[in-house]
Amino acid sequence: MCYLIKNDDGYVLTELGYALIVILFIVLLFVLFFISAKRNSNKVFDVKKLAFCAMSISLATAMSMFKIITFPFGGSITFFSMLYICLTGYFYGLGAGITSGMVFGVIQFILNPYILFPVQVILDYIFAYASLGFAGIFSNSKHGLVKGYIVGVLGRYFFTVLSGWIFFREYAWKGWGVLPYSLVYNGIYIFAEAILTILIICIPAASKAIDRIKSLV
């Protein structure tokens, strides 16, 4: 494949590969704008919605760089980076949330690509982060952000565990099966961040502030 070069650790992107990723990133942004325009004919609202999604993706990207703990074979506990993507779903619905998650995943891949197989990239960077947008399922529900955040995190966990089970079996701890290893290893950093985030958003002042922002956007 002209966009990938195989080495001892898996694959690395060529210049064409990076160009294709950038093109995909641009396409996803246009998809996000199209969803915004289709769902509401008010152009001012559309621009505000797109700006909020872009800001959420930017904040998620920035916070993903501040790692509380980094794990040796991938994964880290960050400063609530998953929350910002879930917020786009909670505020604007499933479509905007999933698309924002996909864009965030592409950015994560550009910043820190890890390629064993092309399908692994899709699971780890596209499906896993897009799943955070499932928070939009509960956008109009009581305590919708907490419920949506939990569903979004579980979606990311599912695809990350699946990737670990299929592609990272050589990293399994001695005496452990591949699936139990992937369940525990990925669960440690994903659920640790999730618990910290839920504790924060359940604080009454934080919850009221988020609901106030939702009423404005």
Side-chain angles (χ1 to χ4, degrees):
M1 292 173 284
C2 57
Y3 52 90
L4 291 174
I5 297 176
K6 185 171 177 58
N7 62 17
D8 294 337
D9 296 322
Y11 294 85
V12 294
L13 287 170
T14 64
E15 291 183 0
L16 177 60
Y18 275 107
L20 290 173
I21 294 299
V22 171
I23 291 170
L24 176 60
F25 175 72
I26 294 171
V27 168
L28 288 174
L29 287 179
F30 274 105
V31 169
L32 182 60
F33 180 78
F34 175 77
I35 291 172
S36 175
K38 187 175 181 180
R39 289 177 65 88
N40 196 298
S41 59
N42 187 331
K43 299 304 179 184
V44 175
F45 181 83
D46 288 341
V47 171
K48 182 168 68 172
K49 177 178 178 179
L50 186 62
F52 180 86
C53 291
M55 181 182 67
S56 296
I57 294 167
S58 299
L59 286 171
T61 301
M63 292 300 99
S64 71
M65 298 179 182
F66 293 94
K67 297 176 172 61
I68 300 172
I69 299 174
T70 300
F71 287 76
F73 302 119
S76 59
I77 301 172
T78 69
F79 280 94
F80 317 117
S81 62
M82 294 188 291
L83 172 64
Y84 297 102
I85 303 302
C86 290
L87 282 174
T88 63
Y90 177 59
F91 288 167
Y92 293 114
L94 194 60
I98 290 175
T99 307
S100 297
M102 292 175 66
V103 173
F104 178 57
V106 171
I107 294 174
Q108 290 298 300
F109 180 70
I110 293 172
L111 293 176
N112 188 28
Y114 190 86
I115 311 169
L116 287 176
F117 299 96
V119 175
Q120 168 259 321
V121 172
I122 294 172
L123 289 175
D124 281 338
Y125 292 96
I126 303 299
F127 288 175
Y129 288 111
S131 296
L132 295 173
F134 290 165
I137 295 172
F138 298 97
S139 60
N140 297 314
S141 174
K142 185 177 181 181
H143 306 301
L145 179 57
V146 174
K147 291 187 285 189
Y149 181 79
I150 291 172
V151 170
V153 167
L154 288 175
R156 182 191 173 191
Y157 178 64
F158 171 80
F159 287 110
T160 303
V161 167
L162 183 62
S163 174
W165 182 30
I166 297 172
F167 299 109
F168 294 90
R169 59 182 58 248
E170 68 270 20
Y171 297 111
W173 298 316
K174 186 176 181 180
W176 282 66
V178 179
L179 181 57
Y181 161 76
S182 186
L183 287 166
V184 173
Y185 180 89
N186 291 295
I188 290 172
Y189 67 88
I190 290 177
F191 292 139
E193 180 175 331
I195 290 169
L196 290 174
T197 304
I198 290 171
L199 289 175
I200 293 296
I201 62 180
C202 284
I203 296 173
S207 178
K208 289 179 181 178
I210 291 171
D211 287 340
R212 174 60 177 167
I213 294 171
K214 185 180 181 184
S215 70
L216 296 174
V217 299

